[in-house]
Amino acid sequence: MNPVFLGTAAALCWGMLDFLAGKTGRRIGPLPVTAAVTLFGLVLISLWLLAFGELPTLLRGDVWWPVVAGIGVALATLFLFTAITSGPISLAVPVAMSYPATSVLLGAFLGSIPSLTQLAFVALILIGAFLVACGESETGSAALEETPGRWRRTITFAILAHLTFVVGVFAGQKSALLFDEIQSVWISRLAGAAIMLPLVLARPAPIRPQIPYLPVLAAMGLLDVFAITLLFAAGKSAQPELANVCATASGAITIVLAWIFLHEKIAYLRWLGIAATFSGIAALSAFK
């Protein structure tokens, strides 16, 4: 399947997920949100496999690929949600979700080199993500200058999310070649849950305040597992790194949603970055 389509669809899901995470994480904390999203995703994909597929065996020697993917994605999600709750969405998400730039370099190192035309459109997408990340919010810059510790925390966790997403998605796309992509996601989600549960138990939070958010958390789990399945499925294409690049648009989608629903003002430079990101995706899809 076309990796540009897969990555763009994943971006739409993750854009909505990160927007919901910003609102929910500030109320109940990033760790409970990450754990709930991981567990809901595991339950949903388990039900799907029981109804329409088959649960994979865990005794294969190459099972470590989806396990590494699950650990990487779970930690990346935790780091991302922590960054989102520490600072403005419009700063945290673009830094974290620009990880495809690193994925392209990794793919080129491993021999998957895009054409010059594709490289030009990839550059346009990544430049757009850079403009979105660097453009100052019209209302947020002053607040961040008043709290440099908060700014450093946001950037630190966004960078950690960036790096762990590279590892998790790369391992997940490799595992899709060894397993069915849905089975790969199930194994990875099982590994992610195994990582998140001890962290939650080590820092227990009151259950009652989280109950009203269960429907939102379930929706977030569905969005997350659908997005990661799409991105893992791109591992079967000739150029999976193009899906990773298109997934960069999730940051722009999140910012637009924050502009619409949270009334976060967006500076002109960020609007330019959003336009460049979506223009690059459209051109990459047309010339794939």
Side-chain angles (χ1 to χ4, degrees), residues 67-146:
V67 169
V68 169
I71 294 172
V73 170
L75 291 177
T77 304
L78 176 60
F79 294 147
L80 175 60
F81 290 173
T82 303
I84 289 173
T85 56
S86 299
I89 292 174
S90 55
L91 174 65
V93 171
V95 173
M97 300 309 290
S98 61
Y99 72 89
T102 308
S103 297
V104 170
L105 294 176
L106 181 61
F109 177 77
L110 295 175
S112 179
I113 301 176
S115 68
L116 290 178
T117 302
Q118 290 173 333
L119 281 175
F121 296 138
V122 165
L124 180 59
I125 295 170
L126 297 177
I127 288 171
F130 177 78
L131 292 175
V132 171
C134 294
E136 288 290 349
S137 169
E138 292 182 355
T139 58
S141 58
L144 284 175
E145 288 174 359
E146 293 172 1

